[in-house]
Amino acid sequence: MPLDELRDLLERHVRLDLTTAIEGVRVCRIDHTASPVSSMSGKVLAVIARGGKRLALGDQVYEYGPGQYLVASVDLPVTGHVIEAAPGHPALGFGMTLDPAAIAELLLSAGPGDLPRSPGTARPGIAVSNAPDELLDAIVRLLRLLDRPQDRRTLAPLFKREILWRLMTGEQGEAVRQIGLADSSLSHIARAVQWIRENYTRPFRVEEVAQLSAMSVSAFHRNFQAVTAMSPIQFQKHIRLQTARLLLTNSPNEITRVAHRVGYDSPSQFSREYRRLFGAPPSIDALRIRAGSGSTGAALP
């Protein structure tokens, strides 16, 4: 069974930094459940081989377990944690970056009728499905190359293309295909997401970002909410607070300075919103992270 071999490959090739010798491929092993971790998702495929994971995006919660995959088609602020893991029975996961250029190339090379018709409407930026054997088999063949360095340079790009193709023709294919379309609704929202991330410290008018996205304000609101499960202002708040959390791990006693640095005028408002998102006041949360009982690592895969 592909899932059995996938577990074996993941256990044998896990590293502390999650990286592998194949660019854009990550392997994750977690031996125990832990507090939720906040990070940016990246555009990524994540597959669970053992255990289970819960991921939150705004008010939306996604759970996925063995033999299921998650696609993040936009770089979004998420909070995730393993919900099934124990010593001797660790959670195991595979992650692969979704490259827009590679997806666009496959779209161009596809023949008439090879791909379903795309309605072009914005889809949620995160989705979960059961992984078909064809997808798991392609992932297994890619990971086998970690044991065959002489084949890696030639075959890894081919197996990555197959994985992308299985995604593009699968249940979440519409979301994946839109990653490679420069003029898709998803691409317009992705540009808005990137702009907010780069300008998160300053106030902005939604009309301004809608114009950058080449959308009317009503269409922008509708599509942004569909993709990110948040309003643009809520999205900005998540980016501010995640950035503040990283800064506070190095400066736990400089809450007011960090609040101003990420764009808050009121330290008390910052503390309230920080506690609402992370479950503890900034000072306590920062000390907890420094002591090792919290984490600012990646929420995926």
Side-chain angles (χ1 to χ4, degrees):
M1 295 290 290
L3 198 57
D4 294 330
E5 187 174 358
L6 178 60
R7 293 189 189 105
D8 177 64
L9 287 163
L10 294 174
E11 286 222 70
R12 288 196 292 109
H13 291 289
V14 69
R15 296 175 177 175
L16 289 176
D17 64 358
L18 309 185
T19 63
T20 69
I22 302 173
E23 184 179 0
V25 171
R26 291 158 58 95
V27 169
C28 177
R29 170 184 169 138
I30 299 178
D31 292 291
H32 52 79
T33 58
S35 300
V37 173
S38 296
S39 71
M40 298 303 295
S41 67
K43 296 176 183 177
V44 68
L45 160 70
V47 180
I48 295 292
R50 183 194 293 148
K53 198 151 194 177
R54 181 177 295 132
L55 199 75
L57 171 66
D59 295 329
Q60 298 294 316
V61 177
Y62 303 87
E63 289 190 6
Y64 56 121
Q68 293 185 304
Y69 71 93
L70 177 146
V71 167
S73 53
V74 180
D75 192 14
L76 296 170
V78 295
T79 301
H81 66 291
V82 168
I83 55 176
E84 294 178 29
H89 197 75
L92 296 169
F94 163 89
M96 190 180 90
T97 301
L98 300 177
D99 179 14
I103 294 170
E105 183 182 344
L106 282 171
L107 288 170
L108 289 171
S109 64
D114 287 349
L115 293 167
R117 291 180 60 87
S118 296
T121 55
R123 299 288 297 273
I126 288 180
V128 172
S129 288
N130 293 324
D133 284 346
E134 294 85 357
L135 174 61
L136 293 176
D137 184 60
I139 293 170
V140 164
R141 282 184 279 115
L142 177 66
L143 290 176
R144 283 175 186 161
L145 296 178
L146 295 173
D147 294 320
R148 303 170 185 171
Q150 71 277 13
D151 297 335
R152 199 179 297 147
R153 183 186 298 273
T154 300
L155 295 181
L158 302 180
F159 295 154
K160 283 183 177 181
R161 282 172 60 89
E162 182 180 352
I163 291 168
L164 291 176
W165 183 257
R166 298 299 180 192
L167 292 175
M168 291 166 61
T169 56
E171 190 171 309
Q172 302 305 330
E174 169 66 11
V176 176
R177 293 192 298 273
Q178 285 203 20
I179 296 174
L181 294 172
D183 200 39
S184 67
S185 297
L186 182 69
S187 294
H188 288 303
I189 296 302
R191 286 197 289 274
V193 163
Q194 182 65 28
W195 187 91
I196 295 173
R197 287 189 61 195
E198 293 173 353
N199 297 275
Y200 69 89
T201 61
R202 72 174 184 87
F204 66 85
R205 295 167 56 248
V206 173
E207 292 83 357
E208 176 185 9
V209 189
Q211 186 175 14
L212 288 170
S213 303
M215 291 182 174
S216 69
V217 173
S218 60
F220 176 70
H221 263 296
R222 184 174 62 253
N223 284 281
F224 195 95
Q225 183 78 34
V227 171
T228 69
M230 290 178 254
S231 71
I233 301 302
Q234 288 172 323
F235 184 89
Q236 180 193 44
K237 184 188 300 182
H238 273 70
I239 300 298
R240 285 180 170 182
L241 293 173
Q242 285 193 0
T243 303
R245 198 182 198 208
L246 290 172
L247 294 172
L248 284 169
T249 58
N250 294 320
S251 307
N253 299 317
E254 299 185 20
I255 295 171
T256 298
R257 184 183 67 82
V258 168
H260 288 311
R261 182 171 173 181
V262 299
Y264 279 87
D265 293 325
S266 168
S268 60
Q269 180 187 1
F270 167 73
S271 294
R272 284 196 306 272
E273 294 183 351
Y274 189 102
R275 181 171 188 165
R276 192 176 300 126
L277 183 60
F278 298 122
S283 56
I284 294 175
D285 185 56
L287 293 173
R288 183 178 63 186
I289 292 171
R290 287 166 68 91
S293 58
S295 175
T296 57
L300 289 168

